[in-house]
Amino acid sequence: MSKRHLFNSNDGLVTKCLRGLISYNPSLTLDEKNRVVFDSTFDKSKVAIISGGGSGHEPAWSGYVGTNMLAASVAGDIFASPSTKQVLSAIEAVPSDNGAILVVTNYTGDCLHFGLANEKANARGHKCRMIICGDDVSVGRKKGGLVGRRGLAGQIGVLKVMGGAAGEGASVDDVYDLGVAVADQIVSIAATLDHCHVPGRTEHGMLADNEVEVGTGPHNEPGYSKLSPAPSPQELVATLFKYMLDETDPDRGYVNFKPDDQTILLVSNFGGMSHLEMGALVDELLEQISSEPWNFPEPVRVCSGFLETSLNAPAFSVSVLNVSAAARTLSQSSGTKYSVEDIKRFFDARTNTYWESVAGAQSGPRRPRAEQFLKDNSVQEKHTFDPSKDLKVDPATLEKMLRSACKAVIDAEPDLTKWDTVMGDGDCGLTLETGAKALLAAVDNGLTKAGSVGDVLLELEEIVEGKMGGTLGGILGIFFVSLRNSLLDEVAKASSGESTPVGEKLPLLWSAAAKTALGNLRRYTPAKVGDRTVMDTLIPFAEAMGSSNRFDKGVEAAVAGAKATITMEPRLGRATYVGANAGSGELPPDPGAWGAMVAIKGLSDGFA
């Protein structure tokens, strides 16, 4: 795979892409700061369907904003989830009297950021729900464990059906039930001839000339298996269908099919396949699905093209949606009664999005292009707290600790990026570096002059929500919100009617607050010690500090927890998909756990 690009830096590339991509449709508007594309003609009496994720998958998801599909989309950095603040901006951009539904693919960062935005939106009075789509059968039940299947282009079929129903004026509950039923009846798998190359990155995994990878992820994750020598197209399709359609496979038989079930076939070009070969691939898929051993009726709908890409990867994914099974699920499990014909009608609903044509369809006179670009439509959420609950410490010590922690994180970025490239998508180091540099800038501007711990936690919350996407940004966002609230509550309780100075209770206060914050975080992630995640650092740190009432003991436990990830088998996150292919023996440390440890140890070093 070539490393050459027209734009050799990813700096500003996502925003520039969005500006160009929406130009075909005069009803679309771009909130540039938050990378939110929304339909400025959205009918607020309809359900607002909102989706998004990392960039590099275009036309997903900005290319699906418009009539009878998405009301808004939100874009993160390349292969990294958008931040909570971005998602909230998307919800605010398309207020609905009927309600909003967030639809995301099953990646930890997306689930966390959209989940936190869902919680905050409901707290603000929005009627908001969330659907997580996972359709990749290469991540079987044994491998996926608690994570479940990751998301591929099958989600685009879910968005299309939900968009059609919302366009007809269905209620938020009915559209939600429909989306869940359809999402559960999709099986997908991908195959690649080589991995894509990300502009601006040096790390690049490549396949040998005579290899094909099966079960590839859309963020450059290694696949389930490598086939060498490379199979013929006919053999490859047969292999993919066996993974997708064999109901007797206890690990991958996710969807059951009856002889006369009606299906939809979705074939997505990952970005680097020729149209010539894609056409031939669709023909081969249709031939094999209708013959032995499957003998399925020909799909009632076939869609092929750049549905959800992976930059320039010469790869593709195949999805089969069982429409009949979705209708049966609806009739049996909810009050929503949509038939097969209804679901097909929703799927067929005309849009003015990329779905119809990348050139789009104009209605009415075209607006001047400059009017399509909204420079800043940020959600203005002023974080505050009761000053009487604030925890005050020596300003010079606080500044020294923060600078030490930020420097340690920045110095660790090259290793964190390298390790996350091996085990994930390579964004962990840059995510943490971005947060550290933003915090340093705040310290330079006087953040610590008052010695206010409350002010520092508020600033961290703002930085994480506004600048740090990805899985780690989502986890830290939830953690810092909970930590701030619980710490200040603990300070208030400790100050109430007691003679012992609050300063003498600091370890106990921090321990109780960290315990509460971790408890809240567990609502959004099942991760525990031993799963090879950032929790392998955070949990030992909080527990050791709680049992000893000593910060240094907490630091020791955090260091030990991070180091222990070297010998752990991944059980959550993207590493579960790629750990088996990372080679024998010890893996690199989990980058999230190591980054959190470096920050904690940096705080301790600054205190010394």
Side-chain angles (χ1 to χ4, degrees):
M1 169 57 61
S2 172
K3 298 182 181 180
R4 295 188 63 190
H5 298 278
L6 179 63
F7 295 89
N8 289 310
S9 169
N10 57 27
D11 186 27
L13 185 57
V14 173
T15 300
K16 193 168 183 63
C17 165
L18 295 174
R19 287 172 57 91
L21 195 148
I22 71 165
S23 296
Y24 75 89
N25 187 340
S27 67
L28 300 183
T29 300
L30 171 63
D31 170 2
E32 289 194 8
K33 182 173 182 178
N34 294 294
R35 297 174 183 165
V36 170
V37 172
F38 62 95
D39 183 358
S40 56
T41 64
F42 172 69
D43 182 350
K44 65 185 302 184
S45 69
K46 307 290 179 65
V47 174
I49 302 172
I50 299 167
S51 189
S55 296
H57 302 301
E58 291 72 26
W61 286 260
S62 51
Y64 298 123
V65 178
T67 304
N68 291 329
M69 212 162 172
L70 296 182
S73 72
V74 54
D77 290 326
I78 296 174
F79 295 167
S81 64
S83 70
T84 303
K85 193 171 186 179
Q86 289 177 264
V87 180
L88 283 168
S89 295
I91 296 170
E92 299 285 359
V94 284
S96 168
D97 296 333
N98 202 337
I101 303 176
L102 309 179
V103 188
V104 298
T105 46
N106 188 24
Y107 293 95
T108 307
D110 293 327
C111 295
L112 289 168
H113 285 289
F114 278 81
L116 180 55
N118 182 59
E119 295 283 329
K120 289 196 168 190
N122 280 297
R124 296 177 182 181
H126 295 281
K127 187 176 182 180
C128 195
R129 307 189 70 173
M130 180 170 164
I131 296 175
I132 299 172
C133 298
D135 53 321
D136 186 357
V137 301
S138 73
V139 183
R141 293 181 176 88
K142 188 181 301 182
K143 190 73 173 176
L146 295 172
V147 184
R149 295 187 285 166
R150 66 184 169 198
L152 288 175
Q155 187 221 20
I156 307 302
V158 179
L159 299 178
K160 189 67 179 68
V161 172
M162 292 178 67
E168 289 191 6
S171 70
V172 68
D173 291 332
D174 285 349
V175 176
Y176 175 84
D177 289 342
L178 176 64
V180 171
V182 172
D184 286 345
Q185 299 301 328
I186 301 175
V187 284
S188 302
I189 197 168
T192 184
L193 308 180
D194 202 354
H195 292 179
C196 68
H197 183 262
V198 180
R201 289 191 187 171
T202 57
E203 300 289 342
H204 178 46
M206 297 178 67
L207 297 183
D209 290 341
N210 202 25
E211 284 182 332
V212 170
E213 206 160 36
V214 173
T216 320
H219 309 95
N220 255 352
E221 305 98 323
Y224 170 70
S225 65
K226 291 181 180 179
L227 305 179
S228 182
S232 69
Q234 294 76 19
E235 292 169 336
L236 180 58
V237 167
T239 299
L240 299 182
F241 271 155
K242 181 167 177 56
Y243 285 135
M244 296 170 64
L245 306 177
D246 184 1
E247 300 173 34
T248 66
D249 184 342
D251 204 32
R252 293 182 175 77
Y254 287 98
V255 174
N256 296 318
F257 296 87
K258 294 184 177 181
D260 295 327
D261 279 352
Q262 297 189 41
T263 62
I264 292 174
L265 176 67
L266 301 167
V267 188
S268 182
N269 188 335
F270 267 34
M273 299 290 294
S274 69
H275 291 278
L276 182 70
E277 290 189 281
M278 287 298 292
L281 171 63
V282 171
D283 182 66
E284 184 64 31
L285 290 165
L286 292 174
E287 283 189 5
Q288 289 201 30
I289 202 170
S290 301
S291 59
E292 293 287 348
W294 311 116
N295 295 316
F296 283 11
E298 186 170 309
V300 294
R301 302 290 185 274
V302 177
C303 294
S304 175
F306 299 102
L307 304 183
E308 181 181 341
T309 63
S310 180
L311 294 172
N312 59 350
F316 62 89
S317 68
V318 181
S319 304
V320 176
L321 189 169
N322 192 334
V323 179
S324 300
R328 286 194 295 268
T329 298
L330 287 167
S331 66
Q332 295 166 5
S333 62
S334 75
T336 305
K337 298 297 189 293
Y338 287 132
S339 67
V340 171
E341 294 304 314
D342 290 329
I343 296 175
K344 288 193 296 183
R345 185 178 74 254
F346 298 149
F347 188 86
D348 291 340
R350 294 299 301 270
T351 77
N352 57 357
T353 72
Y354 174 92
W355 187 266
E356 308 296 338
S357 167
V358 73
Q362 294 188 35
S363 57
R366 183 176 181 84
R367 282 193 292 161
R369 187 166 182 268
E371 293 181 11
Q372 290 188 263
F373 305 120
L374 184 63
K375 294 296 183 182
D376 186 3
N377 191 35
S378 301
V379 175
Q380 299 300 324
E381 182 182 6
K382 180 65 175 177
H383 295 299
T384 59
F385 64 91
D386 184 348
S388 66
K389 298 180 179 181
D390 196 8
L391 179 61
K392 294 296 184 69
V393 297
D394 176 60
T397 301
L398 182 60
E399 179 178 349
K400 185 180 177 184
M401 292 175 70
L402 292 181
R403 289 191 182 278
S404 175
C406 290
K407 182 180 185 303
V409 169
I410 293 169
D411 289 345
E413 181 276 322
D415 283 338
L416 297 177
T417 298
K418 180 180 178 180
W419 296 336
D420 197 34
T421 301
V422 173
M423 299 301 299
D425 59 9
D427 71 318
C428 179
L430 292 175
T431 295
L432 285 172
E433 182 187 49
T434 297
K437 287 182 175 179
L439 183 57
L440 276 180
V443 172
D444 290 341
N445 288 329
L447 174 64
T448 58
K449 284 184 177 178
S452 167
V453 174
D455 284 345
V456 170
L457 290 176
L458 278 178
E459 185 66 26
L460 278 171
E461 187 178 335
E462 293 282 357
I463 289 170
V464 170
E465 288 188 19
K467 299 180 183 296
M468 297 173 65
T471 298
L472 195 57
I475 289 176
L476 293 178
I478 296 171
F479 182 73
F480 284 135
V481 169
S482 300
L483 183 65
R484 172 172 63 88
N485 292 333
S486 53
L487 178 64
L488 298 183
D489 286 343
E490 292 294 333
V491 171
K493 286 189 289 185
S495 304
S496 177
E498 295 189 21
S499 58
T500 305
V502 170
E504 296 181 15
K505 304 176 183 177
L506 281 182
L508 188 62
L509 295 176
W510 277 108
S511 173
K515 182 178 179 181
T516 301
L518 287 172
N520 290 339
L521 184 55
R522 284 191 175 104
R523 294 172 54 199
Y524 295 95
T525 174
K528 57 185 182 301
V529 171
D531 287 339
R532 191 182 159 88
T533 71
V534 67
M535 303 297 269
D536 284 293
T537 293
L538 295 180
I539 292 175
F541 170 68
E543 291 180 346
M545 193 165 59
S547 62
S548 66
N549 287 336
R550 291 176 55 182
F551 186 69
D552 61 327
K553 294 298 182 183
V555 175
E556 290 176 6
V559 172
K563 289 182 177 179
T565 63
I566 294 172
T567 58
M568 290 178 186
E569 179 182 350
R571 291 196 292 225
L572 283 172
R574 278 196 190 110
T576 60
Y577 313 141
V578 304
N581 297 301
S584 59
E586 292 185 346
L587 300 173
D590 177 74
W594 196 269
M597 178 274 288
V598 165
I600 291 170
K601 190 173 183 302
L603 285 172
S604 177
D605 292 343
F607 185 71

